[in-house]
């Protein structure tokens, strides 16, 4: 059990989740931490906040993804990232940049998929794939692509521009 500032919550929760912890206890003084925990807990597939007080929170694994779901989760993560990219391209092609605001929210779903895949990968390593480090790298790169797409959406959603077809 450690005490966190609100800006470290995401990294701590994601690290504990990916490392395979089934219970995460957080003590805090800043009420912003609880807001951050509530927001970021949505990203942890199978985890729920079980106990919540003004200075303490307990998250537990209530329905973790199963080892057998690993191939499907990997596939879904790839397909979701491709779909995200396709929809961003369509928004630019159709000059419908306002739709980028909605697309930006997809990155959270993609993060949720990535975190679940990485949790299973770290938990079962060589029983899932022959070279888990390579798979970890590839999945992490998909997450980075999602982050980049989010930043593109965030930057261009309020702009009045047209993009050349050559881009």
């Amino acid at each position: 059990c450690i005490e966190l500032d609100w800006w470290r919550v995401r990294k701590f929760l994601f690290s504990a989740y990916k490392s395979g912890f089934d219970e995460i206890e957080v003590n805090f003084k800043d009420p912003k931490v609880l807001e951050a925990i509530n927001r970021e807990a949505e990203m942890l597939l199978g985890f729920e906040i079980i106990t919540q007080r003004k200075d303490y929170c307990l998250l537990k694994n209530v329905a973790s993804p199963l080892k057998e779901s690993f191939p499907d989760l990997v596939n879904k993560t790839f397909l979701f990232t491709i779909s995200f990219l396709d929809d961003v391209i369509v928004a630019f092609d159709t000059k419908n940049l306002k739709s980028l605001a909605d697309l930006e929210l997809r990155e959270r779903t993609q993060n949720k998929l990535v975190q679940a895949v990485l949790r299973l990968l770290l938990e079962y390593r060589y029983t899932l794939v022959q070279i888990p480090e390579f798979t970890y790298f590839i999945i992490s790169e998909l997450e980075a692509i999602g982050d980049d797409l989010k930043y593109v959406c965030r930057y261009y959603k309020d702009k009045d521009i047209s993009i050349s077809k050559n881009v």
Side-chain angles (χ1 to χ4, degrees):
C1 179
I2 64 170
E3 188 171 308
L4 289 178
D5 296 319
W6 68 271
W7 63 85
R8 292 190 181 103
V9 168
R10 180 186 181 117
K11 187 165 187 67
F12 170 74
L13 290 178
F14 281 15
S15 294
Y17 177 80
K18 287 187 292 190
S19 296
F21 287 94
D22 288 327
E23 193 171 291
I24 304 169
E25 185 178 318
V26 184
N27 290 319
F28 51 88
K29 292 179 183 168
D30 186 350
K32 290 181 183 176
V33 171
L34 186 56
E35 293 171 27
I37 290 170
N38 280 309
R39 184 180 59 251
E40 299 306 329
E42 295 174 5
M43 308 300 294
L44 308 177
L45 189 63
F47 267 67
E48 295 294 330
I49 296 173
I50 302 300
T51 306
Q52 182 175 312
R53 296 191 187 109
K54 67 179 179 101
D55 60 350
Y56 165 83
C57 189
L58 177 66
L59 294 93
K60 280 193 176 183
N61 179 1
V62 296
S64 190
L66 300 173
K67 177 181 175 183
E68 296 76 29
S69 67
F70 181 78
D72 292 334
L73 278 170
V74 170
N75 191 38
K76 191 172 195 171
T77 304
F78 270 95
L79 293 174
F80 191 88
T81 305
I82 291 167
S83 172
F84 188 9
L85 176 58
D86 286 344
D87 290 342
V88 169
I89 291 169
V90 167
F92 280 104
D93 284 347
T94 60
K95 297 179 177 51
N96 183 11
L97 299 185
K98 297 289 184 206
S99 69
L100 293 176
D102 294 331
L103 291 174
E104 181 182 351
L105 299 174
R106 285 199 193 170
E107 190 262 348
R108 287 187 62 79
T109 302
Q110 193 226 21
N111 278 347
K112 189 174 193 172
L113 291 169
V114 165
Q115 296 305 317
V117 169
L118 295 180
R119 177 181 171 91
L120 286 171
L121 186 60
L122 287 173
E123 191 170 348
Y124 297 106
R125 293 184 190 266
Y126 294 100
T127 62
L128 292 174
V129 293
Q130 287 183 342
I131 308 172
E133 297 83 5
F134 180 71
T135 306
Y136 191 98
F137 173 76
I138 295 295
I139 298 300
S140 296
E141 287 302 303
L142 288 178
E143 200 271 333
I145 290 168
D147 286 345
D148 290 342
L149 290 170
K150 173 184 69 177
Y151 298 133
V152 166
C153 292
R154 190 174 290 166
Y155 181 79
Y156 286 104
K157 67 184 176 189
D158 297 321
K159 305 282 190 248
D160 186 22
I161 61 163
S162 60
I163 305 290
S164 165
K165 288 280 186 189
N166 297 330
V167 174

